[in-house]
Short mmCIF file of all heavy atoms in Angstrom, two decimals:
data_model
loop_
_atom_site.label_atom_id
_atom_site.label_comp_id
_atom_site.label_asym_id
_atom_site.label_seq_id
_atom_site.Cartn_x
_atom_site.Cartn_y
_atom_site.Cartn_z
N LYS A 1126 -17.96 115.87 24.45
CA LYS A 1126 -18.87 116.60 25.32
C LYS A 1126 -18.10 117.80 25.85
O LYS A 1126 -17.15 117.65 26.61
CB LYS A 1126 -19.34 115.71 26.46
CG LYS A 1126 -20.23 114.56 26.01
CD LYS A 1126 -20.67 113.72 27.19
CE LYS A 1126 -21.64 112.62 26.78
NZ LYS A 1126 -21.00 111.61 25.95
N ALA A 1127 -18.53 118.97 25.45
CA ALA A 1127 -17.80 120.18 25.82
C ALA A 1127 -17.72 120.37 27.32
O ALA A 1127 -16.81 120.99 27.83
CB ALA A 1127 -18.47 121.40 25.18
N ALA A 1128 -18.70 119.83 28.07
CA ALA A 1128 -18.73 120.04 29.51
C ALA A 1128 -17.68 119.20 30.23
O ALA A 1128 -17.35 119.48 31.37
CB ALA A 1128 -20.12 119.71 30.05
N GLU A 1129 -17.18 118.16 29.61
CA GLU A 1129 -16.23 117.28 30.28
C GLU A 1129 -14.81 117.61 29.85
O GLU A 1129 -14.55 117.89 28.69
CB GLU A 1129 -16.52 115.82 29.96
CG GLU A 1129 -15.56 114.86 30.64
CD GLU A 1129 -15.90 113.40 30.41
OE1 GLU A 1129 -16.91 113.13 29.73
OE2 GLU A 1129 -15.18 112.53 30.94
N GLY A 1130 -13.88 117.55 30.80
CA GLY A 1130 -12.48 117.70 30.45
C GLY A 1130 -11.80 118.88 31.10
O GLY A 1130 -12.41 119.94 31.30
N MET A 1131 -10.53 118.71 31.40
CA MET A 1131 -9.67 119.76 31.93
C MET A 1131 -8.50 119.87 30.96
O MET A 1131 -7.59 119.05 30.98
CB MET A 1131 -9.21 119.41 33.34
CG MET A 1131 -10.38 119.22 34.30
SD MET A 1131 -9.85 118.58 35.90
CE MET A 1131 -11.44 118.44 36.73
N TRP A 1132 -8.54 120.89 30.12
CA TRP A 1132 -7.71 120.94 28.92
C TRP A 1132 -6.46 121.78 29.11
O TRP A 1132 -6.44 122.77 29.83
CB TRP A 1132 -8.54 121.47 27.75
CG TRP A 1132 -9.77 120.65 27.53
CD1 TRP A 1132 -11.02 120.90 28.00
CD2 TRP A 1132 -9.85 119.40 26.83
NE1 TRP A 1132 -11.89 119.90 27.63
CE2 TRP A 1132 -11.20 118.97 26.90
CE3 TRP A 1132 -8.93 118.62 26.13
CZ2 TRP A 1132 -11.64 117.78 26.32
CZ3 TRP A 1132 -9.38 117.44 25.55
CH2 TRP A 1132 -10.70 117.03 25.64
N ILE A 1133 -5.38 121.38 28.43
CA ILE A 1133 -4.09 122.06 28.51
C ILE A 1133 -4.15 123.34 27.68
O ILE A 1133 -4.45 123.29 26.48
CB ILE A 1133 -2.97 121.14 27.99
CG1 ILE A 1133 -2.93 119.85 28.82
CG2 ILE A 1133 -1.63 121.85 28.05
CD1 ILE A 1133 -1.99 118.80 28.28
N PRO A 1134 -3.88 124.51 28.27
CA PRO A 1134 -4.08 125.79 27.58
C PRO A 1134 -3.34 125.93 26.25
O PRO A 1134 -3.90 126.47 25.30
CB PRO A 1134 -3.56 126.82 28.60
CG PRO A 1134 -3.73 126.15 29.91
CD PRO A 1134 -3.48 124.70 29.68
N ILE A 1135 -2.11 125.43 26.16
CA ILE A 1135 -1.36 125.64 24.92
C ILE A 1135 -1.88 124.78 23.76
O ILE A 1135 -1.48 124.99 22.62
CB ILE A 1135 0.16 125.39 25.10
CG1 ILE A 1135 0.44 123.95 25.52
CG2 ILE A 1135 0.75 126.37 26.08
CD1 ILE A 1135 1.92 123.61 25.52
N LEU A 1136 -2.79 123.85 24.07
CA LEU A 1136 -3.33 122.99 23.02
C LEU A 1136 -4.74 123.39 22.58
O LEU A 1136 -5.33 122.72 21.74
CB LEU A 1136 -3.33 121.53 23.49
CG LEU A 1136 -1.96 120.94 23.83
CD1 LEU A 1136 -2.10 119.54 24.38
CD2 LEU A 1136 -1.04 120.96 22.62
N LEU A 1137 -5.26 124.47 23.14
CA LEU A 1137 -6.62 124.87 22.81
C LEU A 1137 -6.79 125.21 21.33
O LEU A 1137 -7.79 124.84 20.71
CB LEU A 1137 -7.04 126.09 23.66
CG LEU A 1137 -7.19 125.85 25.16
CD1 LEU A 1137 -7.52 127.16 25.86
CD2 LEU A 1137 -8.26 124.81 25.45
N GLN A 1138 -5.82 125.91 20.78
CA GLN A 1138 -5.92 126.31 19.37
C GLN A 1138 -6.02 125.09 18.46
O GLN A 1138 -6.78 125.07 17.49
CB GLN A 1138 -4.70 127.15 18.97
CG GLN A 1138 -4.66 127.57 17.50
CD GLN A 1138 -5.84 128.42 17.10
OE1 GLN A 1138 -6.21 129.35 17.81
NE2 GLN A 1138 -6.47 128.12 15.97
N LYS A 1139 -5.32 124.06 18.81
CA LYS A 1139 -5.25 122.88 17.96
C LYS A 1139 -6.46 121.96 18.12
O LYS A 1139 -6.91 121.33 17.16
CB LYS A 1139 -3.96 122.11 18.28
CG LYS A 1139 -3.58 121.07 17.25
CD LYS A 1139 -2.18 120.55 17.54
CE LYS A 1139 -1.73 119.59 16.46
NZ LYS A 1139 -0.36 119.07 16.71
N TYR A 1140 -7.00 121.91 19.35
CA TYR A 1140 -8.00 120.88 19.60
C TYR A 1140 -9.35 121.34 20.12
O TYR A 1140 -10.32 120.59 20.04
CB TYR A 1140 -7.43 119.85 20.60
CG TYR A 1140 -6.14 119.23 20.15
CD1 TYR A 1140 -4.97 119.44 20.85
CD2 TYR A 1140 -6.10 118.43 19.01
CE1 TYR A 1140 -3.78 118.86 20.44
CE2 TYR A 1140 -4.92 117.85 18.59
CZ TYR A 1140 -3.76 118.07 19.31
OH TYR A 1140 -2.59 117.50 18.90
N ASN A 1141 -9.44 122.53 20.71
CA ASN A 1141 -10.68 122.89 21.41
C ASN A 1141 -11.36 124.17 20.93
O ASN A 1141 -12.56 124.34 21.16
CB ASN A 1141 -10.41 123.06 22.91
CG ASN A 1141 -9.81 121.84 23.56
OD1 ASN A 1141 -8.60 121.72 23.60
ND2 ASN A 1141 -10.64 120.95 24.05
N ILE A 1142 -10.62 125.08 20.34
CA ILE A 1142 -11.16 126.43 20.16
C ILE A 1142 -12.41 126.45 19.28
O ILE A 1142 -13.34 127.23 19.53
CB ILE A 1142 -10.08 127.39 19.59
CG1 ILE A 1142 -10.53 128.84 19.76
CG2 ILE A 1142 -9.72 127.05 18.17
CD1 ILE A 1142 -10.71 129.28 21.19
N GLU A 1143 -12.49 125.61 18.26
CA GLU A 1143 -13.68 125.59 17.42
C GLU A 1143 -14.91 125.18 18.23
O GLU A 1143 -15.98 125.77 18.09
CB GLU A 1143 -13.49 124.63 16.23
CG GLU A 1143 -12.58 125.18 15.15
CD GLU A 1143 -12.57 124.28 13.92
OE1 GLU A 1143 -13.51 123.47 13.77
OE2 GLU A 1143 -11.62 124.39 13.12
N GLU A 1144 -14.74 124.17 19.05
CA GLU A 1144 -15.84 123.72 19.90
C GLU A 1144 -16.28 124.83 20.85
O GLU A 1144 -17.48 125.05 21.07
CB GLU A 1144 -15.40 122.49 20.69
CG GLU A 1144 -16.49 121.81 21.46
CD GLU A 1144 -17.32 120.86 20.61
OE1 GLU A 1144 -16.87 120.49 19.51
OE2 GLU A 1144 -18.42 120.51 21.05
N MET A 1145 -15.30 125.52 21.42
CA MET A 1145 -15.61 126.61 22.34
C MET A 1145 -16.37 127.73 21.64
O MET A 1145 -17.35 128.27 22.17
CB MET A 1145 -14.30 127.14 22.95
CG MET A 1145 -13.57 126.14 23.82
SD MET A 1145 -11.92 126.69 24.33
CE MET A 1145 -12.36 128.00 25.48
N GLN A 1146 -15.94 128.04 20.44
CA GLN A 1146 -16.60 129.12 19.70
C GLN A 1146 -18.00 128.72 19.26
O GLN A 1146 -18.91 129.56 19.22
CB GLN A 1146 -15.73 129.53 18.51
CG GLN A 1146 -14.46 130.26 18.96
CD GLN A 1146 -13.46 130.48 17.84
OE1 GLN A 1146 -13.53 129.84 16.78
NE2 GLN A 1146 -12.51 131.38 18.06
N GLU A 1147 -18.20 127.44 18.97
CA GLU A 1147 -19.54 126.97 18.64
C GLU A 1147 -20.48 127.12 19.83
O GLU A 1147 -21.69 127.34 19.68
CB GLU A 1147 -19.50 125.51 18.19
CG GLU A 1147 -18.92 125.31 16.80
CD GLU A 1147 -18.76 123.84 16.46
OE1 GLU A 1147 -19.26 122.99 17.24
OE2 GLU A 1147 -18.13 123.53 15.43
N LEU A 1148 -19.91 127.03 21.05
CA LEU A 1148 -20.71 127.20 22.26
C LEU A 1148 -20.93 128.67 22.61
O LEU A 1148 -21.68 128.97 23.54
CB LEU A 1148 -20.03 126.50 23.44
CG LEU A 1148 -20.12 124.97 23.46
CD1 LEU A 1148 -19.21 124.41 24.55
CD2 LEU A 1148 -21.56 124.53 23.72
N GLY A 1149 -20.26 129.56 21.87
CA GLY A 1149 -20.49 130.98 22.09
C GLY A 1149 -19.27 131.81 22.40
O GLY A 1149 -19.35 133.05 22.47
N PHE A 1150 -18.12 131.18 22.63
CA PHE A 1150 -16.91 131.93 22.97
C PHE A 1150 -16.52 132.86 21.83
O PHE A 1150 -16.46 132.45 20.67
CB PHE A 1150 -15.78 130.94 23.27
CG PHE A 1150 -14.54 131.57 23.83
CD1 PHE A 1150 -14.60 132.32 25.00
CD2 PHE A 1150 -13.31 131.39 23.23
CE1 PHE A 1150 -13.45 132.89 25.54
CE2 PHE A 1150 -12.16 131.95 23.76
CZ PHE A 1150 -12.23 132.71 24.91
N LYS A 1151 -16.25 134.13 22.15
CA LYS A 1151 -16.02 135.13 21.12
C LYS A 1151 -14.55 135.53 20.96
O LYS A 1151 -14.22 136.39 20.13
CB LYS A 1151 -16.86 136.38 21.42
CG LYS A 1151 -18.36 136.14 21.33
CD LYS A 1151 -19.15 137.40 21.64
CE LYS A 1151 -20.63 137.24 21.34
NZ LYS A 1151 -21.26 136.15 22.10
N LEU A 1152 -13.67 134.93 21.74
CA LEU A 1152 -12.26 135.29 21.67
C LEU A 1152 -11.45 134.17 21.02
O LEU A 1152 -12.01 133.23 20.47
CB LEU A 1152 -11.74 135.60 23.08
CG LEU A 1152 -12.49 136.72 23.83
CD1 LEU A 1152 -11.91 136.91 25.22
CD2 LEU A 1152 -12.46 138.02 23.05
N THR A 1153 -10.14 134.27 21.08
CA THR A 1153 -9.26 133.29 20.45
C THR A 1153 -8.47 132.53 21.51
O THR A 1153 -8.43 132.92 22.69
CB THR A 1153 -8.25 133.99 19.52
OG1 THR A 1153 -7.35 134.79 20.33
CG2 THR A 1153 -8.98 134.89 18.52
N ALA A 1154 -7.83 131.48 21.09
CA ALA A 1154 -6.97 130.71 21.99
C ALA A 1154 -5.82 131.56 22.50
O ALA A 1154 -5.37 131.43 23.64
CB ALA A 1154 -6.45 129.46 21.28
N GLU A 1155 -5.34 132.49 21.65
CA GLU A 1155 -4.25 133.39 22.03
C GLU A 1155 -4.67 134.34 23.14
O GLU A 1155 -3.84 134.78 23.94
CB GLU A 1155 -3.80 134.18 20.79
CG GLU A 1155 -2.53 134.99 20.98
CD GLU A 1155 -1.25 134.18 20.82
OE1 GLU A 1155 -1.33 132.95 20.64
OE2 GLU A 1155 -0.17 134.79 20.88
N ASP A 1156 -5.96 134.65 23.21
CA ASP A 1156 -6.45 135.52 24.29
C ASP A 1156 -6.43 134.79 25.64
O ASP A 1156 -6.36 135.42 26.69
CB ASP A 1156 -7.89 135.98 24.00
CG ASP A 1156 -7.97 136.93 22.82
OD1 ASP A 1156 -7.11 137.82 22.74
OD2 ASP A 1156 -8.89 136.77 22.00
N ILE A 1157 -6.49 133.47 25.57
CA ILE A 1157 -6.49 132.67 26.80
C ILE A 1157 -5.06 132.39 27.26
O ILE A 1157 -4.72 132.59 28.44
CB ILE A 1157 -7.23 131.34 26.58
CG1 ILE A 1157 -8.68 131.60 26.20
CG2 ILE A 1157 -7.15 130.46 27.83
CD1 ILE A 1157 -9.43 130.35 25.78
N TYR A 1158 -4.23 131.93 26.34
CA TYR A 1158 -2.85 131.60 26.67
C TYR A 1158 -1.91 132.10 25.60
O TYR A 1158 -2.06 131.78 24.41
CB TYR A 1158 -2.66 130.08 26.83
CG TYR A 1158 -1.22 129.71 27.11
CD1 TYR A 1158 -0.76 129.58 28.41
CD2 TYR A 1158 -0.31 129.53 26.06
CE1 TYR A 1158 0.57 129.27 28.67
CE2 TYR A 1158 1.02 129.23 26.32
CZ TYR A 1158 1.46 129.09 27.62
OH TYR A 1158 2.78 128.81 27.88
N SER A 1159 -0.94 132.90 26.02
CA SER A 1159 0.07 133.39 25.08
C SER A 1159 1.34 133.70 25.86
O SER A 1159 1.28 134.13 27.01
CB SER A 1159 -0.42 134.65 24.36
OG SER A 1159 0.60 135.16 23.52
N VAL A 1160 2.47 133.49 25.21
CA VAL A 1160 3.74 133.93 25.79
C VAL A 1160 4.26 135.17 25.09
O VAL A 1160 5.24 135.77 25.51
CB VAL A 1160 4.81 132.81 25.73
CG1 VAL A 1160 4.43 131.65 26.64
CG2 VAL A 1160 5.01 132.33 24.31
N ASN A 1161 3.58 135.54 24.01
CA ASN A 1161 4.03 136.68 23.21
C ASN A 1161 3.27 137.97 23.53
O ASN A 1161 3.73 139.06 23.19
CB ASN A 1161 3.87 136.37 21.71
CG ASN A 1161 4.67 135.15 21.30
OD1 ASN A 1161 5.84 135.03 21.65
ND2 ASN A 1161 4.05 134.24 20.56
N GLN A 1162 2.11 137.83 24.17
CA GLN A 1162 1.32 139.00 24.51
C GLN A 1162 0.56 138.72 25.80
O GLN A 1162 0.45 137.57 26.22
CB GLN A 1162 0.33 139.32 23.38
CG GLN A 1162 -0.71 138.22 23.17
CD GLN A 1162 -1.62 138.48 21.98
OE1 GLN A 1162 -1.20 138.98 20.95
NE2 GLN A 1162 -2.90 138.13 22.13
N ALA A 1163 0.06 139.78 26.40
CA ALA A 1163 -0.72 139.61 27.62
C ALA A 1163 -1.96 138.76 27.32
O ALA A 1163 -2.61 138.93 26.30
CB ALA A 1163 -1.13 140.96 28.18
N SER A 1164 -2.27 137.83 28.22
CA SER A 1164 -3.41 136.95 28.03
C SER A 1164 -4.02 136.62 29.39
O SER A 1164 -3.49 136.99 30.44
CB SER A 1164 -2.99 135.67 27.30
OG SER A 1164 -2.02 134.97 28.06
N MET A 1165 -5.12 135.87 29.36
CA MET A 1165 -5.81 135.54 30.61
C MET A 1165 -4.91 134.80 31.59
O MET A 1165 -5.04 134.94 32.81
CB MET A 1165 -7.05 134.69 30.32
CG MET A 1165 -8.17 135.43 29.63
SD MET A 1165 -9.63 134.34 29.50
CE MET A 1165 -10.42 135.08 28.06
N LYS A 1166 -4.01 133.97 31.09
CA LYS A 1166 -3.14 133.21 31.99
C LYS A 1166 -2.34 134.13 32.91
O LYS A 1166 -1.97 133.74 34.01
CB LYS A 1166 -2.19 132.32 31.20
CG LYS A 1166 -0.98 133.01 30.61
CD LYS A 1166 0.20 132.07 30.48
CE LYS A 1166 1.35 132.67 29.72
NZ LYS A 1166 1.83 133.97 30.17
#
Side-chain angles (χ1 to χ4, degrees):
K1126 293 181 176 67
E1129 180 176 0
M1131 301 172 182
W1132 304 96
I1133 301 172
I1135 62 172
L1136 299 175
L1137 293 177
Q1138 177 61 46
K1139 194 170 185 180
Y1140 303 115
N1141 303 90
I1142 195 63
E1143 285 187 19
E1144 188 82 17
M1145 295 171 71
Q1146 290 170 343
E1147 287 174 9
L1148 285 170
F1150 189 57
K1151 294 180 171 59
L1152 302 179
T1153 67
E1155 189 82 355
D1156 291 317
I1157 299 172
Y1158 177 92
S1159 177
V1160 292
N1161 301 313
Q1162 64 185 37
S1164 60
M1165 290 186 206
K1166 79 152 172 51

